Amino acid sequence: MTGSDVPGPPPKTRILVDAGRLWGGGAATGCVAALLAVVGVLICQDVLKVRLTRPALLVHVSDSLAVNYALTAFLLAIAATGMAHLLILATPKPRTFFAWLVGLATVCGVAAPFALEAPVSSQVATAAINLALGVCTGSLISAVMTRTTAVSRGPRGAGPAPLGTEQLP
């Protein structure tokens, strides 16, 4: 019996993250979300003539709702990227937990306008923008997670499967 025939413990599994591409994808997602927020505000207010409910925004740097909404959407996408990175490193099914967290946050964003005193048309329009932002951010970051993580099985010297070929479950 040779040394290679002796059964041993299964090889250790390591999660590999291409952090630069993950955060690059998060920044790109933030830009898309910011533009989506601007488009949503412009369509609702300027085309449909619906005055939006003033949602709780993370930043207030301008008198322009579109600018504040865009910056908030960008910052929330960056926060989602950080959460995704943490989940990749710390949980057994990171995309499942990410989907649940983003889904629940999106439900909160959709419900929030209805808690404010405003016309129903304003509440619905604001909720629609928030829904679009949640779906946009969740789907893009989830896709980025898929392309920037890999599983390495084997001894420390063994190379991982190329990113994008063997994905996390």
Side-chain angles (χ1 to χ4, degrees), residues 130-145:
N130 292 347
L131 176 62
L133 288 169
V135 170
C136 167
T137 302
S139 64
L140 289 176
I141 299 286
S142 183
V144 169
M145 290 171 71

Side-chain angles (χ1 to χ4, degrees), residues 15-17 22 83-92 94-95 144-146 148-149 168:
I15 305 301
L16 304 171
V17 181
L22 176 67
M83 181 178 60
H85 198 164
L86 179 66
L87 291 171
I88 289 167
L89 297 174
T91 64
R95 285 194 307 270
V144 169
M145 290 171 71
T146 299
T148 59
T149 56
L168 294 173

Side-chain angles (χ1 to χ4, degrees), residues 3 26 45 47 71 98 107-108 161:
Q45 290 191 157
V47 175
L71 287 172
F98 182 77
V107 168
C108 290

Side-chain angles (χ1 to χ4, degrees), residues 14-71:
R14 292 182 299 136
I15 305 301
L16 304 171
V17 181
D18 186 344
R21 288 180 65 213
L22 176 67
W23 284 95
T29 298
C31 292
V32 171
L35 287 171
L36 179 60
V38 169
V39 167
V41 170
L42 292 176
I43 289 174
C44 290
Q45 290 191 157
D46 296 339
V47 175
L48 301 176
K49 303 296 185 206
V50 174
R51 187 172 173 87
L52 294 171
T53 301
R54 293 286 177 164
L57 300 172
L58 294 178
V59 292
H60 186 79
V61 296
S62 168
D63 290 334
S64 168
L65 176 62
V67 169
N68 293 332
Y69 223 137
L71 287 172

Side-chain angles (χ1 to χ4, degrees), residues 147-160:
R147 299 296 298 171
T148 59
T149 56
V151 177
S152 174
R153 290 182 174 86
R156 214 168 211 340

